Amino acid sequence: MRGGPSTVAAALLAAVLALVLAAGCTTSREPSRDDGRSASQKPSPSGSTSPTAVAGSVLAVKIDNAPGARPQTGLDSADIVYVEQVEGGLSRLMAVYATKVPKAVGPVRSARESDLELLGQFARPVLAFSGAQGKLLPLIDRAPLDAVTPEDAAGAGAYYRGTERAAPHNLYVRPGRLLPSAPGSAALTTGFRYGTAPSGGTAQSSLTVRYPAARFTFTWSASRARWLVSTDGAPTVTTDGTRVAPATVVVQYVKVRASGFHDFLGNNTPYTETVGSGKARVLRDGRVHDVNWKRATATDGTDFTTADGAPVAFAEGQVWVVFAQAP
């Protein structure tokens, strides 16, 4: 886990989150064709108009997970995949890259209010996304991250449209155009620990997490020592046919509340609270462990501990964190 962030950074993020909540009382709708920045919405001076990643920056990509967006590209190369509920009870992914930079990732979609809080744990991350609601964009620009939409990186050739799908499910990003190089595992300032599994736990061959209009099943493969991911009942594979199979899955029970934002159909945008504390289930090595989680502030990582307070270590490899509504 990285050391404590500067007071200035913490204050800045807190101010941005406060502004988000204040702005959320009005409704801004995304156009149905795409949700990118309009020509009149330019980045603020603190925003990024071109790739400006510093050494140690991770790349976070918002990835479409609607049925028309599957299979995705580059998902198997991510160090961490976060799963969140979005409008209509559907799901969206945020993939974080630090140790590998694949040639392409996507389909890329829009950012959400919750992303500011979730990404506060990383040191100046680069966020690749297709846009966001108009009232949220200025707040993203002022957040302690480098936000790069297709409009921002137009001169760098970082984004492109695929030809096999219709918009908006065909936008992809070339990570190598946004990061000078893979920053390495030290950039993963999440608080996650890797090592020997905690004692105890319960043998479990599969576990399903349900959203109102989506579901994920993780099935243990002893031969691969990985959890095979299925989405809405179908195997989750990438465009090159690779089965997505994390070494560790965390089902983190959080508060998912209504925000002040809505999509273009009028559906409320859920806000996933990742700061606080609660219960979680850690799946590794064919067993499930009931643990506790705690994240003190938005600039801290998340600690996972056993009932007696001992840190919980994850298996080496990709981690999926599925945010589920707390009972």
Side-chain angles (χ1 to χ4, degrees):
M1 183 174 177
R2 72 179 160 110
S6 68
T7 302
V8 173
L12 176 59
L13 183 59
V16 169
L17 292 174
L19 286 170
V20 170
L21 294 174
C25 62
T26 59
T27 299
S28 176
R29 298 187 178 187
E30 297 174 336
S32 58
R33 179 180 60 84
D34 200 356
D35 47 9
R37 248 187 207 106
S38 71
S40 64
Q41 293 170 320
K42 301 298 183 183
S44 68
S46 62
S48 174
T49 57
S50 62
T52 58
V54 298
S57 297
V58 300
L59 172 65
V61 184
K62 291 305 299 286
I63 299 180
D64 196 350
N65 199 40
R70 305 172 199 154
Q72 291 99 344
T73 298
L75 193 59
D76 55 316
S77 296
D79 293 281
I80 304 169
V81 177
Y82 291 103
V83 183
E84 61 183 347
Q85 181 180 323
V86 292
E87 300 83 4
L90 296 170
S91 63
R92 188 157 294 180
L93 310 178
M94 179 189 286
V96 177
Y97 299 86
T99 61
K100 299 178 183 177
V101 180
K103 292 182 179 180
V105 175
V108 180
R109 286 306 301 272
S110 58
R112 292 294 183 271
E113 182 184 7
S114 305
D115 299 335
L116 298 180
E117 181 174 279
L118 182 59
L119 288 171
Q121 64 195 300
F122 300 105
R124 197 73 191 184
V126 177
L127 174 61
F129 64 112
S130 65
Q133 296 186 26
K135 294 182 183 296
L136 183 58
L137 283 167
L139 306 178
I140 294 174
D141 288 332
R142 290 194 287 271
L145 52 80
D146 284 326
V148 187
T149 66
E151 289 76 14
D152 297 335
Y159 291 87
Y160 67 94
R161 290 281 180 185
T163 60
E164 297 182 356
R165 299 173 184 168
H169 308 302
N170 64 349
L171 180 66
Y172 297 84
V173 65
R174 299 180 178 96
R177 305 291 178 92
L178 300 183
L179 287 182
S181 62
S185 59
L188 296 171
T189 50
T190 56
F192 297 173
R193 297 169 179 263
Y194 300 86
T196 304
S199 60
T202 304
Q204 188 147 339
S205 59
S206 69
L207 185 144
T208 297
V209 180
R210 298 179 184 275
Y211 290 169
R215 73 181 189 275
F216 296 87
T217 299
F218 303 94
T219 303
W220 176 246
S221 169
S223 63
R224 296 187 57 182
R226 293 290 186 270
W227 295 90
L228 305 181
V229 183
S230 296
T231 306
D232 296 338
T236 302
V237 298
T238 60
T239 47
D240 63 4
T242 301
R243 185 74 182 269
V244 179
T248 304
V249 177
V250 180
V251 182
Q252 186 174 340
Y253 295 100
V254 298
K255 182 177 180 180
V256 181
R257 59 172 172 79
S259 75
F261 291 96
H262 298 76
D263 69 5
F264 70 95
L265 294 175
N267 296 311
N268 185 266
T269 300
Y271 187 99
T272 300
E273 296 186 3
T274 58
V275 170
S277 61
K279 301 294 184 180
R281 308 188 82 186
V282 173
L283 283 66
R284 62 163 294 178
D285 305 328
R287 303 183 73 83
V288 60
H289 302 267
D290 293 317
V291 305
N292 300 311
W293 70 269
K294 183 177 181 180
R295 185 178 178 207
T297 73
T299 51
D300 290 317
T302 304
D303 295 321
F304 294 92
T305 56
T306 60
D308 60 4
V312 173
F314 298 166
E316 293 285 348
Q318 187 180 79
V319 177
W320 274 53
V321 179
V322 184
F323 294 119
Q325 179 70 271

